[in-house]
Amino acid sequence: MPTPQRVSTIPVAPGALPVLGHLPAFLRDPLAFLRTLPAHGSLVTIRLGSVPVVLVCDPELVRTMLVHDRVFDKGGPLFDRLREAGGQGLATCPAHEHRRQRRLVQPAFRAGRFPDYARIMSERMDAIISGWRAGQTLDVTTAIRGIAADVVVSAIFGSRLDPADHHRLVTDFDTLLAGFSMHTLLPRALRGIRTPGNVRYLEATDRVRRTMTRLTAEYRRRGTPDGETNLLSLLMAARDPDSDAPALSDDELVDQAVTMYSAGTETTAGAISWALYLADAHPEVRARLTEEARTVLPGRAAGWDDVPRLPYTRQVLLEAIRMYPPGWFLTRRTETDTHLGRHAVHQGTTIAYSPYLIGRLPGLYERPDHFDPERWRTEDGRKPRVPATVFGGGARKCVGDEFSLLEGTLLLSTLVARWDMELDRDTVTVPKIPQLTLSPGRLRATLRTPARRPVAG
């Protein structure tokens, strides 16, 4: 990285308290707190308790950081906690290990695999949504998370889980998500105290790991049926080019299974829930989204061949992701003394960036607080770009970004084509302390059968 001609001291955000630093403001309303920081510079130091964190507020500097992933490696408190359940999977492993893992995992996400994944998604969505009934009231966020989890499990293991295992995984991941932010911010000494919250969090972390270990071992013993291809079978078949031995150990397979389950479930479910919530608040968007889905999908689940005819659905999804990105606050750790812009950054510094903050910058997006799916429309029929930093960047850009967007497009269009949802907006409970992913919390809705479309002629 080139050394700039001028080096300046990184400013410290005002309002730090003795001992606690900026932690009370961060916990009280983290999203509002983050949005105050760009006024103090492109890089700003905040103190979360005793831990100083340098927040990058400039999108170009965020891009620089993401591109130079060996200098700004994945680390810091957030990734320390993620590794407790996910081990050294593709999303959490250090840079020196990433290239090998990426090379092994990438074939599972090649474009040629997506029609098969879309078939799995469509079948599982249809099976679950068809069981809903008019007049039923449900928590949309929970229901969508359950569908996404079912789809991802089918894509990983090629079959449905035993209902007890499925329920256990969903419940344990809910516990992890609920306690993640607090557990990340607590000092090490306090994390070890056996409070009820700490015990629930640690036991859920352990169970997730043990459940995925058992399921992976059972899959290996059972073997892959002839003609069946899924994510786990592709990883098990990968061979070391030098020895022809399995490229991934059993522990590494579990790491990847946990990573794919958590990423494929929470990110997609959150994005769809926000899309429904935001579209409901903008009747013109809701009407256009519904018209597209019901024209393309007359009474059936969306499939692979429908995707090119659902451009507005993807636009709505992308705009929801821009405004409420699943990964809202992410950390890195510098591996050497370096510079970022005109600032010196020392080895061992915890660096953070917020896709939520970047997505709300007026210099990057016009009227950034306005929900406008049209900003993602393309004139030439090509897929629109993805919101800046939402899926990372550089060599570590999320390998499953298109998998997630495909799942989101199919599920969102299927939901609005099949049902009119009367959202009870008073039930939305956005957590005061956002979880690992940014979710709208409870979102209750009553299902209504769509009015019949008039028959032409």
Side-chain angles (χ1 to χ4, degrees), residues 11-287:
V12 179
L17 300 176
V19 181
L20 297 176
H22 300 94
L23 192 56
F26 188 86
L27 292 178
R28 186 165 52 247
D29 194 340
L31 301 181
F33 173 70
L34 288 173
R35 295 185 68 176
T36 68
L37 299 177
H40 305 292
S42 57
L43 269 64
V44 184
T45 298
I46 59 176
R47 202 158 48 78
L48 302 179
S50 61
V51 180
V53 177
V54 174
L55 184 75
V56 186
C57 301
D58 179 272
E60 282 304 310
L61 295 184
V62 170
R63 190 192 68 81
T64 297
M65 179 185 65
L66 294 176
V67 167
H68 296 279
D69 61 303
R70 290 183 177 268
V71 177
F72 303 97
D73 203 354
K74 288 200 172 183
L78 182 139
F79 282 99
D80 291 342
R81 300 288 77 73
L82 284 174
R83 286 166 182 152
E84 290 171 352
Q88 299 284 356
L90 186 64
T92 55
C93 68
H96 67 80
E97 174 63 17
H98 177 260
R99 180 172 294 182
R100 180 183 76 94
Q101 290 196 26
R102 181 81 177 213
R103 187 172 61 249
L104 296 171
V105 172
Q106 187 74 55
F109 293 95
R110 287 178 180 156
R113 305 281 183 193
F114 278 57
D116 285 338
Y117 294 148
R119 177 185 52 77
I120 294 171
M121 293 172 185
S122 183
E123 289 173 356
R124 297 310 314 143
M125 292 171 193
D126 189 49
I128 295 172
I129 295 173
S130 294
W132 295 354
R133 294 293 177 262
Q136 178 181 354
T137 297
L138 47 75
D139 179 355
V140 172
T141 305
T142 300
I144 292 173
R145 186 184 297 129
I147 296 172
D150 193 276
V151 165
V152 170
V153 164
S154 297
I156 294 173
F157 294 100
S159 60
R160 295 191 65 195
L161 285 186
D162 177 90
D165 285 331
H166 184 77
H167 176 75
R168 181 77 270 167
L169 276 174
V170 170
T171 301
D172 284 337
F173 266 99
D174 281 348
T175 301
L176 287 180
L177 290 170
F180 187 86
S181 292
M182 186 62 74
H183 207 72
T184 298
L185 295 170
L186 283 174
R188 183 185 300 273
L190 295 181
R191 291 199 304 271
I193 297 175
R194 292 186 64 79
T195 64
N198 282 349
V199 169
R200 284 194 300 271
Y201 179 88
L202 294 172
E203 288 181 349
T205 300
D206 182 61
R207 275 196 304 270
V208 165
R209 188 80 193 172
R210 285 190 286 109
T211 299
M212 280 298 190
T213 298
R214 176 174 56 79
L215 293 173
T216 303
E218 289 174 358
Y219 182 90
R220 186 185 288 281
R221 287 195 301 270
R222 187 172 68 246
T224 306
D226 291 341
E228 180 181 289
T229 299
N230 53 63
L231 295 173
L232 200 58
S233 68
L234 292 169
L235 294 178
M236 285 183 175
R239 316 302 291 182
D240 186 290
D242 298 323
S243 64
D244 200 40
L248 292 173
S249 68
D250 286 350
D251 280 345
E252 288 175 322
L253 285 170
V254 174
D255 292 347
Q256 304 304 341
V258 173
T259 297
M260 289 184 287
Y261 179 90
S262 58
T265 299
E266 294 304 326
T267 57
T268 304
I272 296 170
S273 298
W274 281 119
L276 290 170
Y277 175 79
L278 292 165
D280 185 72
H282 297 81
E284 71 287 354
V285 173
R286 184 179 65 229

